[in-house]
Amino acid sequence: MIETVKLKEIVGRYLEGTDKYLVDVEIRPDNKILIEIDGDQAISIDDCVDLTRCIESQLNREEEDYELEVGSAGISQAFKVLRQYKKNTGNEVEVLLKTGMKYAGILKEAGDQHILLTVEKQIKPEGAKRKICVQEDVRFDYHEIKYTKNIIRFK
């Protein structure tokens, strides 16, 4: 059976020294291998094809039959690694907590243990007739987050 560790090593060596990085490796029971990559810049189809060829050159189909699919992390998919959070700093994101609470705001900071999200809140100051919009920074530890993903708006 093909091992995840071996695939991560192959992909890691191939992507070393580039602005691209491994997001996920999944091996399904039917030996379908799914590899997801991302980059600080856009990922092209050629990047996926070249990585596919590299992986296939290092695996032996005589020993193990498999199906290989290499793709880029989709813009609407949830973030899976810290580098995706860092790449999207300054972008509008949606954060769903494990408690079910959902927040939308600007990803201000992505640290090793937590993120900082700038959200807008409507508050009514004492003595005022109308609510006003204020910005507040909210901190979430990664273990609290179910998912974070980009918000895509068409203006």
Side-chain angles (χ1 to χ4, degrees), residues 73-108:
I75 193 165
S76 63
Q77 290 179 327
F79 303 162
K80 295 180 182 173
V81 295
L82 177 59
R83 198 157 165 191
Q84 288 179 298
Y85 281 91
K86 290 184 183 261
K87 171 186 173 180
N88 287 286
T89 300
N91 292 345
E92 188 176 13
V93 298
E94 174 182 282
V95 176
L96 177 65
L97 300 180
K98 291 178 181 173
T99 61
M101 294 289 296
K102 191 181 279 189
Y103 293 85
I106 303 298
L107 181 58
K108 185 174 184 178

Side-chain angles (χ1 to χ4, degrees), residues 11 15 17-24 36-44 47-48 51 71-75 77 79 81-89 91 150:
V11 174
L15 298 177
T18 70
D19 72 332
K20 293 157 187 58
Y21 51 92
L22 178 64
V23 173
D24 195 23
E36 188 176 347
I37 59 173
D38 202 350
D40 298 329
Q41 304 299 317
I43 298 292
S44 71
D47 294 327
C48 296
L51 179 56
S72 63
I75 193 165
Q77 290 179 327
F79 303 162
V81 295
L82 177 59
R83 198 157 165 191
Q84 288 179 298
Y85 281 91
K86 290 184 183 261
K87 171 186 173 180
N88 287 286
T89 300
N91 292 345
N150 279 309

